[in-house]
Amino acid sequence: MQTVLFICTGNYYRSRYAELLFNALQVPGWCADSRGLRLSMANLGPIWPPVLERLQQRGFSPSHEVRWPLALSEEELVRAELVIALDETEHRPLMQQHFPMWADRIRYWQTPDLPALPAEVAFHRIEQGVQALIDELQTR
């Protein structure tokens, strides 16, 4: 099984939605995971509740207990076949700071965090990105 690793800042909202959506869509030979570059103790609970609500609106629910956010380590970067950070403006500098050898080796999407981008728009961008990624993987 090959892994796509989604990265965001807190591993609480954007990367978690991308991970859960990708896995719910069941891409043969692939699974998704996610991590954060700078976790926050201010987050309430293991995941932002609108992430689970959005999944349910799309007819999906997590198949297991929802875990708490996890920090990115180089081990995950090495293990993943494909790594995607959710927002280049926000995440490239953090990658250059914490994982400089990886900063130019991963893909970057353009999905800023709240309040820069409303959640509804961000969810839609993530859905489009995940679908485009799935289409790409299926034609490989």
Side-chain angles (χ1 to χ4, degrees):
M1 188 74 76
Q2 296 180 333
T3 301
V4 58
L5 178 65
F6 292 102
I7 299 170
C8 73
T9 306
N11 194 222
Y12 184 68
Y13 157 40
R14 294 169 292 166
S15 63
R16 296 295 288 286
Y17 183 61
E19 170 197 0
L20 293 170
L21 179 61
F22 184 96
N23 287 335
L25 294 170
Q26 300 180 354
V27 182
W30 286 86
C31 67
D33 204 351
S34 67
R35 296 291 186 272
L37 287 160
R38 189 174 53 214
L39 305 187
S40 172
M41 299 310 259
N43 293 335
L44 301 176
I47 194 168
W48 193 44
V51 169
L52 299 177
E53 292 167 14
R54 182 69 173 216
L55 285 168
Q56 289 175 343
Q57 289 170 0
R58 292 187 52 115
F60 303 118
S61 62
S63 59
H64 55 281
E65 185 175 321
V66 177
R67 65 164 173 79
W68 288 85
L70 296 171
L72 180 64
S73 72
E74 189 157 6
E75 182 179 317
E76 280 92 23
L77 292 166
V78 170
R79 192 176 20 215
E81 180 71 23
L82 181 60
V83 181
I84 299 170
L86 273 288
D87 185 57
E88 185 166 16
T89 302
E90 182 181 356
H91 299 132
R92 184 179 288 276
L94 291 170
M95 287 297 295
Q96 290 168 332
Q97 179 183 359
H98 299 291
F99 304 97
M101 295 185 64
W102 290 90
D104 295 327
R105 297 170 56 186
I106 68 173
R107 293 184 189 185
Y108 294 91
W109 288 355
Q110 309 303 320
T111 309
D113 203 353
L114 295 167
L117 188 69
E120 182 64 33
V121 177
F123 283 137
H124 183 69
R125 282 191 191 177
I126 293 167
E127 291 160 3
Q128 288 180 316
V130 166
Q131 188 58 59
L133 176 62
I134 290 170
D135 292 346
E136 174 192 331
L137 296 176
Q138 290 177 333
T139 60
R140 278 189 177 183

